[in-house]
Structures are given as C-alpha cells and as structure tokens.
Amino acid sequence: MNRTSAPVDAPSTGAWEGLVTTALLGTDRRTPPGTGPGPEAPVALLDAAAVETVRRRAGLRPARAAERPQPAPEDPRPPLPPAAARRLALLLADRPGASGGGRRGTAPDLTELLPQWLAAANARGFAPPPQVLPALLDAARGRTDLRPPVLEFAGPRALWLARLNPDWRFALRSTPGGGAALPHLEDDDGVRQLWQEGLFAERVALLSALRSRDPAAARDLLATTWSTERAEDRLMFLDSLRTGLGPDDEPFLEQALADRSRNVRATSAELLSALPGSALAARMAVRAEACVAIDHTQAAQAAGGTGSSGATVATPTIAVEAPHECDADMERDGVVAKAPAGRGERSWWFGQLVEAAPLGTWSRRLGGRTPQEIVALPVTDDWQGELHAAWCRAAVRQRDAEWSRALLGEPSAPEAGGPGAVSLAERAKLLGTLDAAERAEWVAGFIATHGLSEAFQLLGVCAVPWAPPLGRAVVDALDIARDAGSYPWSFSGVMGLAERCLDPSEAGRLDALLAVPDEPENASPGAGGYWAEAFQRLVTTLRLRAAMTEELNAP
C-alpha cells in the first residue's frame, strides 16, 4: 500500500470536542457516532478517542518545509559581570506572594527592584546572558512598565525571539518600526524611500530618530507628504516635533493651524504657545492682556489706610474681564469654543487665553512686577483660582522656573496648596520645571512642615536616589509618625517608595529604628511591630541595592 498516495484528512477539532462531551455526559446518555446504546458503547468511545488522538498528533497533510530562520543577530555590548548575572536570575525568579495582602515581613520585594536594576544595567551598556531572554520577555509581558527598560536591555536578540513566539509579539509592537532596522540617517535615498514606502510604525521611528539628530531635516521630510497624510497620522507625526522644538518650526506650525482636523489644529497651537516669541503667542498675549489689568478703582478705595509715616497705602488688585465670545480667529489659534460640562464658557475661554500667552506678558502688563509680586496680588470677583491655574499650566508648558517658584510659594507656607497651585497634580508638574536639587529641597521643606500625608505625589517627581536633605526629611517624618503611634499601614506607600528611592548610604542611619518601639496609649494594636518590620525591610532593601550597584560595577 502506497501510504503517500492518499493524503490524511486534517484533524477535526469538532470531532474531538464531541468525544469529550460524550465522555462527560456518559455513554448511557450519549453514544459515540456510529454506535448504538449498550455495553459496547464505552469501548467504542475509547477506540474513537485513541484514533482521534493519533490524528491530532500526526494527521497533517504533507507541506513544504518552512524556511529556516536566520541566526540571531550578534549583540556587541559587553556581557554582565558574573555576580550581576546571578543577581538578575534571582530577580527574575522572584514572584509576588500569593497572600494578596497583609504584612509583608522583612524580606525585600525583589520584583520592585527589577526596574532599578535594569536602569542601572542599561546605563552601563551591558548585554544580558542569552539564557535569561525568555524570562525577561515573560516579565515584560506581564508588566507594561517594564517593557521599555527590558527591551532596551534585551537588545536585538529579544526581537528575534519575539518573531518566533506569539506571546512576545508585544516586543514588536513596543519597538518603533517593529524592530526593523532604520537606514543610516546620512543615507538620503534610504531615508526618503522608507518615508515614502514604510509602514506607519517604521515612519514614526524614522521621523523621531531624525528629529533627535537634525530637527530641520525631520521637519522638511514631514512637509513632503504632509498634505496627503491621514488626520490621525498627521497628529502623531506632529507630536514628534516636541523634540527639539524651536523658532524655526513656527512657519510649519502656523500652516498647520489651518488644518482640517481639530486635533491637529489644537496640537499646533499648543506647540506654538510653547514658543514665547511666536506670532501665535503674541496674538494670545494681546487677547489675554485685554482680560487682565490692575483695578485702580479698588486701589483707590483701599487707600483709606495709612502707613507709619502717615502716607496712604493703596493695595493693587487684579481685575479680570473674561471674553464674551469665541470668534473664528480665536478658534483658528487653538481656543476650543465648546466648554466641558459644568464649566462656564467665559472662564473656559479665559483660561485658554492666559495659558497660551507668554508669561513675560504679565510683568509688562502689571506694572513691571516680578512673578512673586504678581502672584501675591488679590484678584477680584473670585477669579483668582482660574487665573492662577492658567498661569500654572503656562509655567509648565513654557518650562519657566521663575514662575513655577512663584506659584509654588515657600514649602513652609501655612497652606499646603501654595499661592497658585490648586492641586497636588499641579504642584508636581510645577516642580518638574525645577532642577533636581531644587526640587528635592522644596519637597523636603514641604514634608518638614506638612508631613507625609500629602507628599506622596510630590515624591514621585524627585530624582532617584533622593538627595540627602529629602531622604532625611522622609525618614524623620516616618520616625515621627512611628513615635506618635500613627496607623502604620497608611504609610506603606511612602515606605515602599523609600525602599526604591532612598540613597543606600542612608542604611546606617536607620539602625536605631529597628527595635520595636513602646506603643503610646492610643496607638493602633500591633503598630510597633509593624513599624519595626517595615524599617528592617527598608534597611535590608537599601543594603541589597548597594550590593546590586557593586556587582554591576565589578570589572
């Protein structure tokens, strides 16, 4: 018999599922196909299952052999030091506890140290041992926050593996261009061909890479196809201009203000307003100035008081007259006419004008005053919150540290909100415009005055490891909370942040906090033991982080 002359039918998933159903129901209620009820039915079911098993394992039609994959690319980076490679294997082998809550004990949380380890290894330019690549990709598959550092560390071989395993396809989606090699940026023909013919992800990757190196060339490349791009693609390409944004981009962005897509127009206006010297910023300044002025009437009425020399003292006040309409020119410059639900139209338009106006406008408009003096002025008719919130957004957009300092105020001010910031989120954004040392010093002063209850979000914008003044402020506040018998679990978030962000050199200062403290009369039951465990875990984690750094620095 010629076994190759009659092709085998492809295995039938439906037939197998039918046999499984028959086995679950029992042959008394359902018999296999072609068999009647009776004592032979179970035997027939097992025979049919045996045949179907063979079909499922081997019953495939002959096909051409698949093309052998190309060998994995070489990784030119230096290998990890042996001790660091062993540490990585331990970090990848650790899994969160199955308890789902409760006390964590004194053992460090290794899964939370993996991002920090990856950042340190990437900064040193190491390549991973090939045998850990599957575990690295599995870790990144389950945690989206790990994907950028894992893919940077795993290198080109991870993309090679991802093409062979559907579970790791996220690596291709997460890598600009799906891991495709970009042409050399000096290769004008290759760049032009990829821009004209490449997939969308490849074109985004190309434009971003070119923008980082030569902003003008990237903008010129985008202009060659701008009018034929889809609206959603134009928006993504336009976003790449944030890198290296400068005055030379103004003509292109001004042209984009007339785009048929509202989102493209809005993004163009936002980018132009981040250029204080742009024509759009000047137009917005004129509109905003018409809404804000010193109220001399209020100042005259306040002149009834006298100073120590007998002279009258006038208190200047800022008056606000919000726009009464949103005309076509305002809409062209990015002002959204329709206000969100629950928001007044005039205040909505007013906020957009102020946040888009150059911050240098206000010193000229308000009597040459400094940002600190302007922020300190009272505002009429309950407009202060709206005005200050718009200035906050402008300071963040224009990266103006002087205005950010004025709006933040002193960290020791009685009101935690500061003179201008109206939320923790706004304060965190304003802090982001300051350099790392000033940011840490401000947050340390805030914690010293207001404690840790409102500081978690502010700590998240501070550089890691925390500067010594900030680290000391956090530890001192935790120590005060412990001695006061505070509910310990409410500080678990800050304690976890300290494990990842406190400078490892601070471990020696914490030895005095490892003992179980005497619990005050009104303390939470068991609080002292929890605090001792938490500080023990903190010290152990800091020393482990120090060991990780030493291992990565080994020759």
Side-chain angles (χ1 to χ4, degrees):
M1 178 179 177
N2 187 350
R3 295 182 181 275
T4 62
S5 61
V8 180
D9 290 337
S12 171
T13 302
W16 178 259
E17 296 298 333
L19 293 174
V20 172
T21 302
T22 300
L24 291 172
L25 293 174
T27 54
D28 290 340
R29 300 175 60 188
R30 176 172 173 171
T31 58
T35 305
E40 297 301 320
V43 177
L45 175 62
L46 293 176
D47 288 344
V51 171
E52 192 62 34
T53 297
V54 174
R55 287 166 60 87
R56 285 165 60 85
R57 291 178 178 173
L60 298 175
R61 292 181 183 275
R64 288 185 177 274
E67 202 174 310
R68 293 182 64 181
Q70 293 295 319
E74 292 295 325
D75 194 331
R77 297 173 295 176
L80 279 173
R86 291 191 293 272
R87 179 72 64 189
L88 174 60
L90 290 174
L91 294 175
L92 290 170
D94 188 70
R95 291 291 182 269
S99 62
R103 291 165 75 145
R104 288 173 48 198
T106 59
D109 186 348
L110 299 185
T111 59
E112 291 303 320
L113 293 181
L114 182 58
Q116 193 167 107
W117 189 97
L118 288 166
N122 285 332
R124 290 162 175 79
F126 285 124
Q131 65 269 21
V132 305
L133 288 174
L136 277 168
L137 288 168
D138 282 340
R141 180 190 177 199
R143 284 182 58 177
T144 55
D145 64 306
L146 283 179
R147 290 180 183 180
V150 161
L151 294 177
E152 180 184 351
F153 177 62
R157 290 180 174 179
L159 299 177
W160 183 88
L161 282 174
R163 295 188 182 96
L164 304 176
N165 186 342
D167 289 344
W168 299 332
R169 289 293 171 87
F170 70 86
L172 303 179
R173 294 191 300 270
S174 302
T175 303
L182 296 177
H184 290 293
L185 299 183
E186 296 84 359
D187 179 6
D188 293 338
D189 291 338
V191 167
R192 207 163 26 245
Q193 181 178 1
L194 182 59
W195 181 249
Q196 295 286 347
E197 303 174 5
L199 300 174
F200 174 69
E202 293 171 336
R203 300 177 73 212
V204 170
L206 175 64
L207 189 65
S208 299
L210 189 59
R211 183 70 179 179
S212 299
R213 177 164 180 169
D214 188 343
R219 185 185 61 249
D220 293 343
L221 184 67
L222 177 58
T224 61
T225 60
W226 177 258
S227 61
T228 61
E229 304 287 358
R230 299 183 307 166
E232 55 268 33
D233 293 352
R234 292 200 302 276
L235 185 62
M236 289 290 292
F237 293 144
L238 193 62
D239 203 57
S240 69
L241 298 188
R242 296 181 189 276
T243 301
L245 182 67
D248 291 342
D249 297 316
E250 183 180 354
F252 180 86
L253 294 172
E254 272 284 344
Q255 181 184 2
L257 285 176
D259 197 272
R260 55 189 179 273
S261 166
R262 184 180 67 181
N263 290 333
V264 171
R265 294 196 302 270
T267 301
S268 302
E270 180 192 343
L271 293 173
L272 283 167
S273 68
L275 298 172
S278 68
L280 178 136
R283 295 193 296 268
M284 288 299 198
V286 171
R287 295 175 181 127
E289 284 180 326
C291 299
V292 178
I294 292 293
D295 188 341
H296 297 288
T297 304
Q298 293 281 348
Q301 292 175 352
T306 58
S308 57
S309 63
T312 59
V313 179
T315 304
T317 303
I318 295 177
V320 172
E321 180 65 28
H324 291 271
E325 63 174 344
C326 180
D327 58 33
D329 288 340
M330 288 169 61
E331 288 196 62
R332 181 186 179 275
D333 283 346
V335 176
V336 179
K338 185 175 177 58
R343 182 79 180 273
E345 282 187 333
R346 295 182 64 199
S347 67
W348 171 244
W349 301 331
F350 171 72
Q352 293 179 80
L353 296 181
V354 173
E355 72 178 276
L359 287 164
T361 300
W362 304 113
S363 181
R364 298 191 304 270
R365 177 64 172 164
L366 302 176
R369 293 177 172 83
T370 65
Q372 287 81 1
E373 292 169 338
I374 291 171
V375 169
L377 293 175
V379 183
T380 60
D381 300 329
D382 298 324
W383 281 100
Q384 178 167 316
E386 186 68 51
L387 179 60
H388 284 194
W391 279 337
C392 285
R393 296 191 296 272
V396 172
R397 183 181 297 184
Q398 297 171 37
R399 310 298 299 173
D400 192 306
E402 185 179 6
W403 270 89
S404 293
R405 293 186 195 101
L407 292 162
L408 283 165
E410 292 297 324
S412 58
E415 292 189 11
V422 295
S423 70
L424 281 169
E426 281 186 326
R427 274 175 279 171
K429 291 177 182 177
L430 290 169
L431 284 168
T433 67
L434 309 180
D435 63 53
E438 186 177 1
R439 201 182 316 160
E441 185 178 357
W442 195 95
V443 177
F446 181 91
I447 291 172
T449 302
H450 305 289
L452 291 168
S453 59
E454 293 190 26
F456 187 81
Q457 195 167 359
L458 305 181
L459 287 168
V461 300
C462 293
V464 178
W466 289 335
L470 178 57
R472 287 193 292 271
V474 172
V475 172
D476 290 345
L478 288 170
D479 190 19
I480 291 170
R482 180 192 71 152
D483 290 344
S486 299
Y487 192 63
W489 293 274
S490 61
F491 294 92
S492 58
V494 174
M495 189 67 79
L497 206 57
E499 292 171 19
R500 301 188 295 275
C501 303
L502 199 62
D503 193 308
S505 63
E506 296 287 323
R509 290 185 58 240
L510 300 173
D511 287 337
L513 304 177
L514 301 183
V516 178
D518 296 330
E519 296 185 1
E521 185 176 341
N522 296 325
S524 304
Y530 175 91
W531 281 111
E533 283 183 1
F535 279 117
Q536 178 65 63
R537 183 174 61 250
L538 176 57
V539 170
T540 305
T541 303
L542 294 178
R543 289 180 173 147
L544 176 55
R545 285 174 51 208
M548 285 165 38
T549 301
E550 290 178 6
E551 292 161 357
L552 286 167
N553 289 337

